[in-house]
Amino acid sequence: MTELKEILDLTTDIADKEKKLIERAYSFALHAHDGQKRASGEPYFNHVSETAKILAKFGMDAQTVAAGLLHDVLEDSNTTEEKLRNEFGENILFLVNGVTKLGTLKYHGHERHVESLRKFFVAITNDLRVVIIKFADRLHNLRTLQYLREDKRKRIAIESIEVYAPLANRLGMGKLKGELEDEAFPYAYPKEYEQIEKILEGREETYKKNLEEVSTELENALIKNKVNIYEVNYRVKHKYSLWRKLLRYDMDIDKIYDIVALRVVVKTIEDCYKVLGIVHSIWRPMPGRIKDYIAIPKPNGYRSIHTTIFTGSGGAVEIQIRTEEMHEEAAYGIAAHFAYKTEKEKKKNKEEEQSKFKWIEELKDFNYDLENPQKYLEHLKMDFFNDRIFVFTPKGDVIDLPDGSSPIDFAYNIHSDIGEHVSGVKINRKIAPIFSALKNSDIVEIITKKDAHPSGKWLDHSKTNLAKKNIRSYLEKNSLLSKLKSFGRS
Ligand code: MN
């Protein structure tokens, strides 16, 4: 029972009463998987208890940790749904069922990829916890991948990189994204992995020396200036994301400045800017590399200030400045919002989530054509994974859109009522055509009129599903209406 103790020790914020649920789930799963073995030869139960441990580390609530322990009982033991419902109630059954459904994918290539994504979107909108359990399950499976057959190994590794990691990233779970990618990288792309290992060989010493030099001097300056430091640490860039970046920089490692980054975690936002000032008064910043993601967060919610400084001895170091709260959010993203909350807080969170993650709704609603998964995938790639632009409302709210979006897309993103009545637009305070292509950081102001309405032409000049869907339904409704009217007249 030391395993149980380990799990419970990780759940320090869960009330004792709720811990009973985890204890019950533990014995139930232990019994259900009794005698089963994994490919590695270890007891099957180890897998579910490791999954629960990962969830506890994410800071998830008692139900989620319990469901983590139970996540394979429907699929891999003779436990029935009724039995699970009787023992643990409707909520846990829902979570376990959700995870089980996400797991049964028998497609190949693009179809499989697309279908798994679509299932994920549906699951996210139903209960995000299902997806978080699935992430934990996958992370542990990746850690024990060496025991599987090579073809299976590669398939799981690639799926983790192509489906799981981008999703984790979009949900702001940066730490998980990095771990999924790095566990999968050697199995998915062995040659490239080796190449990265070779490139990094012997460089670590130099990086560490640079870091130590900067961190000692900085810590002294912060103490002198009475900044409350919560923590100064550093992170080494994940190998998979380093490889992706190298591809964009002609594989020249000297062009990459954030292989190691110094992280300064402070109490308040004010302190963050104070630290930035102190950093720039000691070292010269590299032009074009000061990024204020506190004032303008990334679309996945990431906040932090980044700057790269010349160390003076020929090196350069990236410094990331953030508060404790931002630090937590950068690691756990949406899970950080989810954990240890009362029902009321959860409800409020769910509303926040829904507006923050509008794109999920949008993708789920997108008409999925089983005959044409390739098209759906192209669409996803465009709309979801890359090439996003950030534009602003006149009040400074950030709207995140696919590249090439028009003011029509922008308007529908704000509200369908605004979309439906676009008559003009100001881009950067100047009147512009409503079909203009928006550019990063444009300030967009929509002018509406009651009698302005969508036309067929709007479809050709909109990029997002949300806009297209609304325009189409408007056009359908109105052509029907006009037919009815002319019918009435004759
Ligand atoms: Mn599992």
Side-chain angles (χ1 to χ4, degrees):
M1 285 293 186
T2 53
E3 285 282 296
L4 174 62
K5 198 180 167 303
E6 259 184 69
I7 298 171
L8 292 176
D9 284 349
L10 288 165
T11 58
T12 43
D13 284 15
I14 294 178
D16 284 345
K17 204 177 77 197
E18 295 194 9
K19 284 189 179 178
K20 288 271 182 307
L21 174 66
I22 298 175
E23 283 168 27
R24 281 202 294 126
Y26 186 93
S27 352
F28 188 95
L30 189 62
H31 181 72
H33 294 297
D34 188 32
Q36 293 175 353
K37 293 248 184 310
R38 298 200 90 210
S40 60
E42 57 172 351
Y44 195 93
F45 179 75
N46 285 7
H47 164 64
V48 297
S49 98
E50 287 301 319
T51 303
K53 248 186 249 172
I54 294 170
L55 290 166
K57 269 188 209 148
F58 286 170
M60 299 306 292
D61 62 355
Q63 280 193 349
T64 312
V65 177
L69 283 161
L70 298 166
H71 83 267
D72 277 331
V73 296
L74 289 183
E75 208 183 355
D76 294 317
S77 83
N78 48 26
T79 306
T80 61
E81 287 191 20
E82 276 105 307
K83 187 160 184 213
L84 196 59
R85 185 191 287 117
N86 288 341
E87 292 280 333
F88 294 99
E90 210 56 64
N91 271 333
I92 297 267
L93 174 66
F94 176 83
L95 292 175
V96 174
N97 247 333
V99 179
T100 308
K101 277 184 207 145
L102 270 179
T104 52
L105 298 165
K106 293 280 182 290
Y107 297 85
H108 295 283
H110 284 310
E111 272 171 55
R112 186 174 49 77
H113 182 171
V114 167
E115 182 59 15
S116 19
L117 276 171
R118 202 182 60 90
K119 284 192 177 180
F120 266 113
F121 298 136
V122 176
I124 291 169
T125 45
N126 286 339
D127 191 328
L128 187 67
R129 292 179 299 174
V130 168
V131 175
I132 294 175
I133 297 167
K134 190 68 196 168
F135 279 151
D137 171 48
R138 176 52 61 98
L139 188 58
H140 182 251
N141 282 335
L142 284 173
R143 284 178 186 159
T144 51
L145 215 52
Q146 74 259 36
Y147 303 105
L148 296 189
R149 242 178 32 223
E150 204 194 327
D151 56 332
K152 212 174 169 195
R153 213 151 65 185
K154 189 156 183 132
R155 181 181 68 70
I156 293 175
I158 288 180
E159 187 186 45
S160 302
I161 285 175
E162 290 186 350
V163 178
Y164 285 68
L167 263 175
N169 185 41
R170 272 302 225 153
L171 295 170
M173 305 177 80
K175 196 174 162 178
L176 178 74
K177 174 210 172 239
E179 284 177 16
L180 286 167
E181 285 178 342
D182 274 6
E183 296 285 357
F185 189 20
Y187 301 105
Y189 309 107
K191 273 195 206 120
E192 290 80 356
Y193 179 77
E194 249 172 61
Q195 197 186 351
I196 292 297
E197 294 268 86
K198 223 175 250 156
I199 289 176
L200 283 175
E201 232 172 47
R203 286 178 177 267
E204 255 171 45
E205 282 303 302
T206 324
Y207 293 141
K208 287 235 170 85
K209 217 187 88 224
N210 275 345
L211 266 181
E212 269 157 29
E213 205 181 296
V214 172
S215 71
T216 318
E217 195 169 347
L218 181 58
E219 270 180 88
N220 287 336
L222 294 180
I223 291 164
K224 214 175 94 194
N225 283 280
K226 299 198 173 65
V227 178
N228 274 326
I229 320 168
Y230 172 70
E231 195 183 337
V232 175
N233 58 27
Y234 72 95
R235 71 107 182 89
V236 180
K237 198 174 187 65
H238 283 282
K239 283 177 184 160
Y240 181 77
S241 81
L242 175 61
W243 175 57
R244 302 289 304 177
K245 200 160 185 177
L246 277 167
L247 290 177
R248 299 201 302 272
Y249 288 84
D250 315 311
M251 298 308 279
D252 181 355
I253 194 140
D254 293 322
K255 286 184 186 152
I256 295 176
Y257 298 110
D258 65 343
I259 295 165
V260 286
L262 193 69
R263 271 187 186 150
V264 185
V265 185
V266 290
K267 295 273 174 209
T268 65
I269 292 182
E270 227 177 6
D271 290 337
C272 292
Y273 290 102
K274 206 166 161 189
V275 173
L276 182 70
I278 293 167
V279 166
H280 287 175
S281 72
I282 305 176
W283 298 281
R284 203 152 51 86
M286 196 177 283
R289 289 194 51 91
I290 306 161
K291 288 167 202 151
D292 187 348
Y293 298 120
I294 292 178
I296 303 168
K298 287 191 184 179
N300 66 4
Y302 177 82
R303 290 183 300 161
S304 199
I305 299 173
H306 293 186
T307 182
T308 305
I309 51 107
F310 295 104
T311 59
S313 53
V317 168
E318 178 171 301
I319 299 178
Q320 305 178 344
I321 309 157
R322 51 178 71 166
T323 64
E324 280 175 74
E325 195 195 348
M326 294 172 197
H327 192 47
E328 196 55 12
E329 274 183 20
Y332 301 114
I334 201 162
H337 287 279
F338 217 87
Y340 329 127
K341 296 283 155 59
T342 63
E343 285 304 313
K344 202 175 152 194
E345 280 173 310
K346 268 185 196 160
K347 210 174 155 206
K348 195 177 141 254
N349 269 340
K350 195 152 193 212
E351 279 157 21
E352 267 171 34
E353 247 167 53
Q354 267 161 358
S355 64
K356 203 167 162 188
F357 297 100
K358 222 184 197 168
W359 52 272
I360 300 171
E361 277 296 329
E362 201 182 303
L363 285 167
K364 193 189 68 169
D365 290 347
F366 182 71
N367 210 351
Y368 174 59
D369 183 2
L370 252 180
E371 300 300 310
N372 200 346
Q374 180 63 39
K375 198 175 145 205
Y376 183 76
L377 187 64
E378 287 306 311
H379 196 94
L380 278 183
K381 278 187 175 159
M382 196 177 67
D383 217 25
F384 174 54
F385 289 132
N386 3 344
D387 304 333
R388 308 289 299 190
I389 53 166
F390 313 137
V391 293
F392 299 91
T393 67
K395 279 187 188 157
D397 290 331
V398 184
I399 306 291
D400 161 27
L401 293 168
D403 194 15
S405 291
S406 70
I408 306 284
D409 294 298
F410 177 89
Y412 276 107
N413 196 288
I414 307 261
H415 198 280
S416 58
D417 258 358
I418 297 179
E420 210 142 279
H421 297 98
V422 178
S423 80
V425 64
K426 284 183 185 170
I427 300 176
N428 303 322
R429 298 193 191 83
K430 284 196 192 84
I431 293 282
I434 58 168
F435 298 147
S436 317
L438 296 175
K439 290 188 305 296
N440 225 352
S441 74
D442 277 344
I443 301 166
V444 186
E445 187 182 350
I446 298 293
I447 302 157
T448 55
K449 267 193 194 138
K450 261 191 195 148
D451 55 356
H453 292 298
S455 70
K457 218 176 153 194
W458 285 27
L459 278 177
D460 305 329
H461 293 92
S462 56
K463 202 118 201 185
T464 54
N465 291 322
L466 186 71
K468 284 185 193 292
K469 198 182 77 184
N470 277 294
I471 296 166
R472 253 187 230 115
S473 88
Y474 177 89
L475 294 176
E476 272 164 27
K477 236 188 287 164
N478 284 279
S479 72
L480 200 68
L481 277 180
S482 61
K483 266 182 211 152
L484 282 175
K485 270 182 200 159
S486 58
F487 181 74
R489 247 180 256 132
S490 63

